[in-house]
Amino acid sequence: MTYEYDVSGDDFSKAGTASQDIKKKLQQLGVPVAIIKRTAIAMFEAEINMVIHAHGGKASVDIDEDKIIIVMEDHGPGIPDIELAMQPGYSTATAEARDLGWGAGMGLPNMKRNSDFMHIDSTVGVGTKVTMEIKIQNV
């Protein structure tokens, strides 16, 4: 099963819509709660990053019997130094995002921590594609 979503940019009130929908679908499929939680956290963090940094983008989620693959793709500014961006607490969020309680620099680390595999492909001035895989296992 494949699900695709548009992630709205610059609208924090809509951030998390896609991850909430996937959470419901996984519950309906009887996926273990721990896997649902990891999936929802990883995807929500990616959505928030898209809102804060990239003015939105696209989310694609493939679910099969043994894994969930989440692909988040935007046409934002790109990440100049992925290694630096992966450090907990590092953030390039705007003052506006920080005033709203976002931009603590934990998005990418939380995405990595909640996925079994994560790859970031980013080009400055072109955009970023993050692919995450979460294995479905009986917990």
Side-chain angles (χ1 to χ4, degrees):
M1 291 174 278
T2 300
Y3 302 96
E4 298 200 359
Y5 303 89
D6 287 320
V7 177
S8 234
D10 301 321
D11 187 350
F12 289 96
S13 69
K14 293 182 182 175
T17 303
S19 58
Q20 285 301 311
D21 189 61
I22 288 298
K23 180 179 177 181
K24 289 177 190 171
K25 288 179 177 9
L26 293 173
Q27 288 169 334
Q28 292 168 352
L29 291 169
V31 172
V33 173
I35 302 303
I36 295 170
K37 182 178 177 183
R38 291 177 58 213
T39 303
I41 290 169
M43 193 166 173
F44 178 78
E45 293 284 10
E47 284 181 81
I48 288 293
N49 279 355
M50 285 179 151
V51 172
I52 292 172
H53 302 287
H55 309 293
K58 301 267 184 205
S60 174
V61 181
D62 287 311
I63 304 168
D64 67 30
E65 59 189 43
D66 59 350
K67 68 183 171 300
I68 302 160
I69 298 174
I70 303 165
V71 179
M72 307 295 284
E73 193 164 7
D74 66 57
H75 298 289
I79 304 170
D81 186 337
I82 294 171
E83 188 175 324
L84 180 61
M86 289 299 299
Q87 292 181 15
Y90 177 80
S91 179
T92 59
T94 64
E96 177 188 4
R98 289 175 191 257
D99 287 346
L100 293 171
W102 305 107
M106 293 305 297
L108 289 174
N110 281 338
M111 291 161 59
K112 184 169 179 68
R113 183 172 37 258
N114 283 285
S115 57
D116 295 305
F117 167 84
M118 184 172 101
H119 177 74
I120 302 171
D121 183 22
S122 189
T123 303
V124 174
V126 176
T128 301
K129 179 179 178 181
V130 178
T131 303
M132 297 174 282
E133 181 177 311
I134 299 165
K135 295 176 185 171
I136 298 174
Q137 46 199 303
N138 292 329
V139 177

